[in-house]
Amino acid sequence: MFRSSTSPSSADNGDATPNTRGHDGTGRTADTAPTPITVAYGDGIGPEIMAATLQILEAAGAHIAPDIIDVGADVYARGIAGGISDAAWASIRRTKVFLKAPITTPQAKGVKSLNVTLRKTLGLFANVRPVQTYDPCVPSGHPKLDVVIIRENEEGLYAGIEHRQTAEVTQCLKLISRPGCERIVRYAFEYARAHGRRRVTCMSKDNIMKITDGMFHRVFDEVAAEYPDITADHSIIDIGAGRLAAHPSRFDVIVTGNLYGDILSDIAAEISGSVGLCPSANLGEAGAMFEAIHGSAPDIAGYGIANPSGLLLAAVTMLRHIGQTAVAERVHGAWLATIEDGIHPADIYDPEHSTAKVGTREFAAAVIERLGRTPVALAHLAGDPARNTAVSPRPLAPRPRPTKQMVGMDVFLDWDEGERDPNALAETLARCGTHGLSLQMITNRGVVVWPNGKPETQRTDHWRCRFMAEGDTTTDHQALVALLESVRLAGFDFIKTETLCTFDGAPGFSVGQGQ
Ligand code: NAD
């Protein structure tokens, strides 16, 4: 058994300890202690695949001291809404290296996804998800698939800021920051360069989300210009996802937003043979978390049939990350040898390519039996010590702050009177205009319904009413507060406001129909 790394004095203070020990690629030197890592067994199939993974790491001679923490379902059940205790946080902050099995996110309200919380709280901004096929040993319609999806890990719709605003309408805020875009895009180009990859494709939906996804694409173009040795291109996410599914070998590195990356990596994983094969590294400047890309698979939990490969390959990445490259290659080589011998868990079993269908434990035993073996058919996938390891992003250059001017306000109303006639609403609201602000338009779910609305447009109880400073001038907080007060006095239920500003003269808000 691995020796535990917990020491009461260090576990409590969250202090940094170096996470790279030993320089001979084994992690062992005469005077080094094993590298402390934090380990969570997770939920569903988590305990089964983590046990198999740790067994293989131990047999391979990984010089690590796992500190086991309890996170997920049991912790949620104890009433801790975040799914993680203070002691567990302290362990992760102390070791800075976290090997995590999947966790079930309860559907209950008020419960936050621990996976998302971990990534964001620890500043693990880059989610690196390599997907490749193991042709001819694992059947896939795409033998040449070898793509790395680099997913932004902290922003977008995963900010988790959601509201129910009216009886009929809910919202989820999509937050995209310029530093967030720059960090992930630069990381993608640095990754491509460090790993000898030739092309980085950005995927976004900037034809519709011109401000948020538009910024991601714009930053991509700016950063790409600094890497003339790497081909850079952009694809709208919908056709990009379609092409990834149909012609995956056309792609090399893909950099994309949080939700898109989550979806793309599951598509790529499934067409590679199984979601059970794919690892993921969550990397930041203050630590790293390694996990499989799949979830806790409750449908097969407890049957002993889960494929532990995704988590095992994540552990291989972790070993490289902490400098134990020789052990990493030993485990990776044995795993490849097992796959090419046709010893396959159920999710990749196929009578034509497999020699035995095995459970989780038997698969682990087969990998251990092959430690020290060099793969033959899959030799091209072994022995790349740089593969999947972290690269340090260059620090971002400071940027001058733009000149910001306030030019109006969107007032969102919960309004459900009569026939929901926008002309009637506009008539009353127009009288609320004050302090040089006047009503410019009303939209309902983004469609202009006043002026010149169309009777066919479906109208909910959620209205955005845009007031702009008259005569292309600016406004101020005092005028906006006075406007809101006058909206209140007219009897309206305002549920949210957005201040409209220009930045260096350019509007920082969407203008026009359906935007
Ligand atoms: P899932 O990835 O758990 O399962 C999808 C399908 O793939 C299932 O049919 C499952 O049996 C199969 N599968 C997944 N991993 C496998 C493996 N190693 N071997 C064989 N088959 C495997 O996705 P889901 O069912 O949508 O999610 C279940 C739970 O996991 C949810 O609560 C979700 O929130 C959570 N989840 C957690 C993580 C994480 O911890 N990082 C990631 C995704 C989903």
Side-chain angles (χ1 to χ4, degrees):
M1 286 289 287
F2 286 116
R3 188 155 57 85
S4 168
S5 73
T6 311
S7 78
S9 56
S10 58
D12 291 336
N13 60 17
D15 275 354
T17 53
N19 62 26
T20 302
R21 300 282 174 88
H23 301 288
D24 63 350
T26 66
R28 278 176 213 281
T29 64
D31 56 354
T32 54
T35 302
I37 64 165
T38 301
V39 167
Y41 277 77
D43 304 317
I45 59 170
E48 300 162 47
I49 59 175
M50 182 58 84
T53 297
L54 290 179
Q55 212 186 340
I56 295 167
L57 295 194
E58 182 159 31
H63 195 40
I64 54 175
D67 182 21
I68 312 295
I69 60 166
D70 198 13
V71 293
D74 288 351
V75 184
Y76 285 120
R78 295 207 299 267
I80 300 175
I84 180 167
S85 67
D86 289 348
W89 273 125
S91 172
I92 298 167
R93 294 183 62 235
R94 177 176 64 88
T95 66
K96 302 191 182 310
V97 182
F98 186 19
L99 181 64
K100 185 184 79 62
I103 293 167
T104 301
T105 305
Q107 292 292 329
K109 284 210 176 114
V111 168
K112 289 214 160 228
S113 160
L114 175 57
N115 299 311
V116 176
T117 303
L118 283 166
R119 293 169 189 152
K120 294 200 310 191
T121 307
L122 299 172
L124 309 178
F125 69 91
N127 192 332
V128 181
R129 297 183 157 194
V131 184
Q132 54 198 181
T133 36
Y134 300 96
D135 183 65
C137 307
V138 177
S140 158
H142 305 285
K144 293 207 167 79
L145 165 60
D146 178 10
V147 65
V148 180
I149 293 162
I150 298 190
R151 164 190 175 193
E152 198 290 316
N153 223 10
E154 297 180 284
E155 303 194 340
L157 290 163
Y158 285 59
I161 305 175
E162 291 191 292
H163 302 94
R164 178 174 176 179
Q165 297 180 306
T166 70
E168 294 176 353
V169 175
T170 54
Q171 75 164 13
C172 176
L173 285 187
K174 173 162 170 158
L175 298 178
I176 304 276
S177 74
R178 195 189 152 94
C181 294
E182 196 176 335
R183 235 191 333 249
I184 194 67
V185 168
R186 199 173 284 289
Y187 180 86
F189 279 97
E190 291 286 332
Y191 182 98
R193 208 177 246 178
H195 294 79
R197 289 183 174 261
R198 311 299 325 152
R199 184 170 161 215
V200 178
T201 303
C202 172
M203 290 201 197
S204 78
K205 189 76 183 172
D206 66 332
N207 54 329
I208 302 295
M209 286 165 272
K210 294 180 172 144
I211 294 183
T212 47
D213 281 25
M215 179 157 71
F216 196 90
H217 186 176
R218 216 169 38 252
V219 169
F220 176 81
D221 287 345
E222 283 171 27
V223 173
E226 297 174 32
Y227 295 83
D229 49 318
I230 293 169
T231 305
D233 55 10
H234 174 268
S235 177
I236 298 290
I237 184 73
D238 33 7
I239 184 62
R243 291 208 172 120
L244 178 67
H247 312 286
S249 60
R250 288 189 192 169
F251 295 95
D252 195 350
V253 174
I254 296 172
V255 64
T256 190
N258 204 339
L259 176 62
Y260 306 143
D262 203 2
I263 296 168
L264 285 185
S265 51
D266 268 22
I267 293 174
E270 278 293 277
I271 62 175
S272 79
S274 168
V275 72
L277 288 169
C278 300
S280 150
N282 300 269
L283 304 163
E285 275 144 41
M289 177 168 82
F290 302 90
E291 58 183 345
I293 74 162
H294 60 75
S296 56
D299 52 343
I300 56 166
Y303 292 101
I305 57 171
N307 188 345
S309 300
L311 185 62
L312 181 66
L313 294 177
V316 167
T317 313
M318 178 197 76
L319 288 171
R320 291 187 183 119
H321 179 81
I322 61 175
Q324 298 188 22
T325 47
V327 192
E329 291 321 314
R330 200 167 140 74
V331 174
H332 194 202
W335 179 81
L336 288 169
T338 309
I339 294 294
E340 71 181 22
D341 281 353
I343 317 282
H344 293 167
D347 61 326
I348 55 170
Y349 178 81
D350 164 70
E352 262 183 52
H353 297 80
S354 312
T355 54
K357 188 199 277 187
V358 292
T360 314
R361 281 190 191 167
E362 295 78 30
F363 184 78
V367 174
I368 290 169
E369 221 176 272
R370 286 162 181 77
L371 285 167
R373 246 192 58 187
T374 315
V376 181
L378 298 176
H380 59 291
L381 298 175
D384 173 0
R387 199 174 184 91
N388 306 343
T389 52
V391 290
S392 308
R394 275 198 271 149
L396 306 183
R399 293 172 60 80
R401 287 185 75 77
T403 303
K404 178 178 172 187
Q405 291 188 304
M406 213 179 278
V407 294
M409 180 162 69
D410 279 346
V411 181
F412 292 76
L413 300 180
D414 180 349
W415 185 71
D416 182 31
E417 281 179 23
E419 299 293 309
R420 295 183 176 175
D421 175 7
N423 296 314
L425 176 62
E427 204 174 299
T428 317
L429 275 179
R431 290 198 289 272
C432 298
T434 178
H435 286 69
L437 288 156
S438 59
L439 183 67
Q440 194 198 56
M441 71 166 175
I442 301 175
T443 68
N444 196 297
R445 286 181 300 165
V447 182
V448 176
V449 291
W450 182 91
N452 307 320
K454 306 285 178 291
E456 294 81 7
T457 306
Q458 282 292 319
R459 297 184 294 270
T460 69
D461 54 3
H462 185 276
W463 307 82
R464 175 182 63 164
C465 310
R466 174 159 294 177
F467 290 85
M468 294 295 288
E470 287 159 357
D472 280 342
T473 55
T474 58
T475 186
D476 57 25
H477 284 111
Q478 197 180 359
L480 298 185
V481 170
L483 170 65
L484 265 190
E485 175 62 358
S486 122
V487 169
R488 181 188 77 83
L489 288 172
F492 288 110
D493 173 8
F494 59 83
I495 46 171
K496 164 191 162 90
T497 63
E498 289 287 348
T499 306
L500 307 176
C501 298
T502 58
F503 293 83
D504 288 340
F509 47 92
S510 51
V511 287
Q513 181 82 24
Q515 292 188 334

